[in-house]
Amino acid sequence: MNRNDEDIPTTPARVAATPKQAGEAPARRDPWWWVERRVWTEAMLTRLASGESADRVWFTLMDKTYAPANLQSAFDQVWRNGGSAGADQQTVAHFGRHAEEERQRLHEQLREGAYRPQPVRRAWIPKSGSREKRPLGIPAVRDRIVQGALRHVLEPIFETDFAEHSYGFRPGRGAKDALRCVDTLLKAGHDWVVDADLKSYFDTIPHDRLLALVKERVADGRVLALVESFLRAGVLEEAKGWQPTPRGTPQGGVISPLLANLYLNPLDHQMAQAGWEMVRYADDFVILCRSRAEAQAALEAVRQWVSAAGLTLHPDKTRVVNASQPGGFDFLGYHFERGMKWPRAKSLKKLRVR
């Protein structure tokens, strides 16, 4: 069954989902154009923007998560995105036919503390540029809605802390912005590049350390428990059955990109404080330097941070390269070499500068 089935109800009357990536919405003067206004009031945004230490921790957020208007907005986004059914086999279309009672059930379960997420359904999809496959976690429709509602609450809090050079899955930013930044730095003489690759990043994030970062800004115990429940819900794979998830946040989860950005945020700021030009899109990042020595020092700092954070750099895919020489490097589907860039899918033999 899919969203084109004849028995699907009419599209939800209120579709208030906000574009999250650059290029999806016109520029706005309001810096909070992307915030879910049925969650964040002007008074809350004023406090958020103040930056005062006393305003950094938020205590009462669960009621905003399960507010009917927030659940409605999250459902609108799930409806618009579509996608496959989760472990319970319920499709977006089926949920939509019973949307009002389903949302009311979620509201009551969250309010009463009875909500429990289902394990995500694991599927394996081709990995770009490789014969390998990567795991994709598909949450149940009901869980995607709750994750969306939770993201509406948490995203503005953490966005105020995120670094300027982080571009992935953030409001008003996208891959093209990251590529433009890399291009600008190369043209300014930052030819030595740390081309880094985090091995199975989304699947290896330590839960305890990730939750500790969430707790730095969120003190609502019920919200913290909800985040943890998504992390520990497990996965359901057809050939293997249910499996626990002691680490990681599944790719495919609505809230996973936010949590993944949060975990790498300390690395972002460490690189910026050291004066290194880092450009990151989710778990894909490069550091552009003016000399080999600077690049080697940056790579060593990354190695130390990654090891302390319980992550792993891919030994064969992490390297220092000189982008002004033959060979270059790939980033976000583009190949950079000798001051030029082009889509990686095209023939490099035909496009290389002689």
Side-chain angles (χ1 to χ4, degrees):
M1 184 176 292
N2 56 52
R3 291 183 61 192
N4 293 320
D5 292 342
E6 292 180 359
D7 57 350
I8 296 177
T10 56
T11 304
R14 187 166 61 248
V15 179
T18 304
K20 292 296 179 184
Q21 292 294 297
E24 295 182 356
R28 294 169 170 83
R29 292 182 179 179
D30 178 9
W32 299 110
W33 60 266
W34 52 274
V35 168
E36 176 53 68
R37 295 295 179 144
R38 283 168 284 187
V39 174
W40 285 87
T41 65
E42 289 298 331
M44 292 171 65
L45 291 174
T46 298
R47 176 190 165 190
L48 191 63
S50 70
E52 297 295 332
S53 59
D55 294 329
R56 289 184 58 80
V57 180
W58 294 77
F59 291 89
T60 307
L61 297 172
M62 190 63 185
D63 61 326
K64 299 170 179 59
T65 302
Y66 62 67
N70 190 20
L71 291 173
Q72 170 68 51
S73 178
F75 166 63
D76 292 343
Q77 293 178 5
V78 171
W79 174 275
R80 189 162 61 186
N81 292 335
S84 302
D88 62 356
Q89 298 302 310
Q90 184 185 43
T91 63
V92 176
H94 181 272
F95 190 101
R97 288 195 295 271
H98 309 277
E100 187 172 349
E101 61 183 87
E102 291 277 16
R103 289 196 306 273
Q104 181 61 28
R105 184 179 296 114
L106 285 177
H107 168 76
E108 293 173 357
Q109 288 177 346
L110 289 164
R111 183 184 62 190
E112 297 168 3
Y115 169 83
R116 298 292 183 273
Q118 299 182 34
V120 300
R121 180 170 67 86
R122 174 173 285 172
W124 293 86
I125 61 175
K127 192 173 183 179
S128 177
S130 172
R131 295 182 179 180
E132 300 177 359
K133 292 187 176 182
R134 64 181 178 89
L136 179 68
I138 306 173
V141 173
R142 65 194 298 274
D143 296 332
R144 298 207 291 267
I145 292 169
V146 175
Q147 287 190 30
L150 183 59
R151 189 187 67 184
H152 289 164
V153 173
L154 296 181
E155 191 170 35
I157 295 173
F158 295 116
E159 264 295 320
T160 59
D161 294 333
F162 286 166
E164 181 65 25
H165 61 254
S166 168
Y167 292 95
F169 306 104
R170 295 185 59 193
R173 292 164 171 257
K176 290 182 179 179
D177 300 300
L179 290 167
R180 279 192 287 266
C181 185
V182 169
D183 194 48
T184 298
L185 288 167
L186 288 172
K187 290 176 179 176
H190 295 75
D191 293 329
W192 288 93
V193 181
V194 178
D195 183 10
D197 185 278
L198 290 170
K199 189 175 182 179
S200 302
Y201 172 61
F202 278 81
D203 297 324
T204 57
I205 300 174
H207 288 169
D208 55 344
R209 298 177 187 179
L210 174 58
L211 289 168
L213 289 172
V214 178
K215 290 178 182 177
E216 289 182 5
R217 301 297 308 272
V218 176
D220 188 322
R222 297 178 66 187
V223 167
L224 294 170
L226 185 58
V227 173
E228 185 172 6
S229 72
F230 284 124
L231 295 174
R232 302 191 187 280
V235 298
L236 189 64
E237 192 170 354
E238 185 174 347
K240 299 180 180 179
W242 182 84
Q243 301 169 69
T245 47
R247 299 168 69 90
T249 180
Q251 286 184 275
V254 176
I255 202 170
S256 292
L258 173 63
L259 297 177
N261 273 333
L262 176 62
Y263 198 69
L264 290 178
N265 191 48
L267 174 63
D268 291 341
H269 287 288
Q270 179 177 321
M271 294 296 103
Q273 290 168 6
W276 290 315
E277 298 286 358
M278 180 179 182
V279 181
R280 182 171 69 81
Y281 188 96
D283 59 330
D284 197 354
F285 66 90
V286 290
I287 305 170
L288 296 99
C289 305
R290 292 187 178 276
S291 68
R292 176 191 286 273
E294 183 183 351
Q296 292 289 359
L299 176 56
E300 181 57 30
V302 169
R303 289 189 193 279
Q304 293 180 13
W305 187 93
V306 165
S307 176
L311 302 173
T312 304
L313 281 173
H314 198 296
D316 300 323
K317 298 180 181 179
T318 300
R319 61 201 180 115
V320 170
V321 300
N322 188 337
S324 67
Q325 301 300 315
F329 65 99
D330 294 337
F331 185 60
L332 301 182
Y334 278 75
H335 184 77
F336 292 83
E337 182 178 338
R338 292 186 176 184
M340 295 185 66
K341 77 172 187 295
W342 48 77
R344 188 168 53 197
K346 294 184 178 179
S347 171
L348 301 186
K349 291 183 179 178
K350 294 181 180 179
L351 290 172
R352 275 183 183 149
V353 177
R354 297 296 182 180

